[in-house]
């Protein structure tokens, strides 16, 4: 992969939060994939946490998204009638020589190759476990809502246009929660808070059915009030420096409070473990994406 993709592979030093939701079969996964895609930029905005790259502020809330979209199969997925049509498209990409296997399909959302799930892949890595809970709850509710609609209208076809999805994802990567997002209901720019609350309204019945409404609503309102992780990181960098940003991310990943203190070494215990366990992917060696 390094030989084939050169600089794209060399700079693949990013992490993301992936969420899998059970589906009954691959046909359902493929049809639901199209239905949920218009709302995925809102989940990206909620997770945005990568404003810096190589020591400088990129001007984006999620620079990870911009790096990720350089891969030939990254970004929004197309719409397919069923799993057979989707699998034929994947085989065509492999036959073209652009990718080597199905594991190199890096769409924002995709049917899993090895599990009976639909996999969300658009999100940044989230320092706070609460943000992961929020995104997982919203994505599960989106999948459930889409399944319910498709069961009521089995012959319905998704009419979302690919270029609109890519533009909406760019807007979310640029602004996070601190600017406007493209509202899937109008295809026009709206305040991020309006889009997120519109998503809550859309999936409230499913959130209620799963017992998630209270938790997800509270976490969403807290996120809107406080802003994205990108905003917190920038605020820390402007007030202190980039090392302080690392300390902040470590503290949040460990379940620390809203504030942070400079860590003095790799064995520092300034921040006790939180109530919710979360694996910090930043401690892992970077890997080129694959299966």
């Amino acid at each position: 992969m390094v030989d084939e993709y050169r600089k794209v592979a060399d700079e693949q030093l990013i992490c993301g939060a992936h969420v899998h939701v059970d589906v009954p079969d691959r046909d359902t996964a493929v049809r639901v994939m199209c239905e949920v895609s218009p709302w995925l930029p809102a989940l990206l905005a909620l997770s945005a946490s990568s404003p810096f790259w190589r020591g400088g502020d990129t001007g984006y809330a999620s620079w990870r998204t911009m790096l990720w979209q350089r891969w030939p199969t990254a970004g929004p997925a197309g719409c397919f009638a069923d799993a057979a049509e989707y699998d034929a498209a994947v085989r065509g990409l492999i036959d073209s020589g652009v990718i080597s296997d199905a594991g190199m399909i890096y769409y924002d959302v995709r049917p899993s190759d090895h599990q009976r799930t639909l996999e969300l892949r658009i999100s940044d890595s989230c320092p706070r476990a609460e943000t992961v809970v929020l995104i997982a709850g919203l994505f599960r509710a989106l999948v459930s809502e889409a399944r319910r609609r498709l069961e009521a209208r089995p012959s319905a076809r998704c009419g979302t246009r690919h270029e609109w999805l890519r533009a909406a994802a760019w807007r979310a990567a640029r602004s996070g929660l601190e600017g406007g997002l493209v509202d899937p209901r109008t295809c026009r720019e709206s305040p991020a808070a309006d889009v997120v609350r519109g998503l809550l309204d859309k999936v409230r019945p499913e959130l209620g059915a799963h017992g998630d409404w209270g938790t997800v609503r509270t976490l969403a309102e807290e996120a809107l009030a406080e802003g994205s992780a990108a905003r917190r990181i920038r605020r820390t960098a402007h007030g202190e420096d980039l090392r302080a940003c690392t300390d902040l991310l470590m503290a949040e990943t460990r379940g620390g409070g809203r504030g942070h203190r400079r860590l003095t070494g790799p064995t520092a215990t300034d921040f006790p473990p939180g109530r919710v366990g979360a694996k910090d992917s930043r401690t892992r060696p970077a890997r080129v994406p694959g299966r």
Side-chain angles (χ1 to χ4, degrees):
M1 289 182 70
V2 171
D3 289 342
E4 177 69 14
Y5 299 100
R6 303 299 299 271
K7 194 69 170 178
V8 172
D10 293 340
E11 293 187 343
Q12 189 60 31
L13 304 174
I14 62 175
C15 300
H18 296 178
V19 178
H20 288 258
V21 173
D22 286 346
V23 289
D25 51 62
R26 280 178 63 78
D27 280 339
T28 300
V30 168
R31 297 194 69 201
V32 168
M33 175 177 69
C34 180
E35 296 290 331
V36 303
S37 289
W39 290 96
L40 299 189
L43 302 185
L44 169 59
L46 287 166
S47 72
S49 62
S50 52
F52 288 93
W53 177 252
R54 304 189 71 169
D57 192 326
T58 64
Y60 284 76
S62 175
W63 188 243
R64 169 193 178 273
T65 297
M66 308 315 295
L67 292 175
W68 186 241
Q69 287 187 351
R70 296 186 298 181
W71 291 91
T73 55
C79 289
F80 304 92
D82 52 30
E85 186 176 328
Y86 173 83
D87 291 339
V90 172
R91 286 194 300 272
L93 287 168
I94 296 170
D95 292 343
S96 74
V98 173
I99 60 174
S100 58
D101 57 60
M104 291 186 66
I105 296 295
Y106 302 144
Y107 295 145
D108 295 337
V109 60
R110 71 179 185 184
S112 173
D113 254 0
H114 57 283
Q115 300 184 72
R116 198 176 63 189
T117 62
L118 186 65
E119 180 187 8
L120 175 73
R121 301 170 58 82
I122 198 172
S123 302
D124 270 13
S125 186
C126 307
R128 291 181 179 171
E130 291 86 351
T131 309
V132 180
V133 171
L134 170 60
I135 291 169
L138 287 170
F139 184 55
R140 178 166 71 167
L142 274 170
V143 172
S144 297
E145 192 270 343
R147 285 183 58 190
R148 176 169 56 80
R149 283 190 290 106
L150 290 171
E151 288 167 0
R153 297 180 58 201
S155 61
R157 291 296 300 266
C158 178
T160 303
R161 295 185 61 87
H162 187 273
E163 68 273 15
W164 180 90
L165 293 174
R166 193 169 186 89
W170 178 88
R171 181 76 269 167
R174 176 67 175 86
S175 303
L177 294 176
E178 285 63 62
L181 298 176
V182 179
D183 193 325
R185 299 165 296 185
T186 63
C187 295
R188 295 183 179 277
E189 186 175 11
S190 296
D194 291 351
V195 176
V196 171
R197 291 186 180 116
L199 173 56
L200 287 171
D201 290 342
K202 176 181 175 64
V203 298
R204 180 170 182 171
E206 282 69 29
L207 290 171
H210 288 299
D212 293 341
W213 169 247
T215 298
V216 169
R217 179 184 60 179
T218 298
L219 292 175
E221 290 298 336
E222 288 178 353
L224 292 173
E226 190 167 355
S228 66
R231 181 187 183 189
R232 298 195 299 274
I233 293 167
R234 279 197 174 107
R235 185 169 58 229
T236 300
H238 293 162
E240 300 181 56
D241 54 25
L242 286 179
R243 185 181 172 191
C245 296
T246 303
D247 296 344
L248 170 69
L249 292 170
M250 291 170 65
E252 291 191 354
T253 300
R254 291 172 173 173
R258 295 293 187 255
H260 75 281
R261 290 186 287 129
R262 171 65 57 87
L263 302 184
T264 57
T267 59
T269 56
D270 298 81
F271 302 96
R275 291 178 290 108
V276 180
K279 184 174 290 184
D280 186 354
S281 60
R282 292 173 190 79
T283 63
R284 296 180 178 179
R287 293 182 58 190
V288 173
R291 189 177 292 278

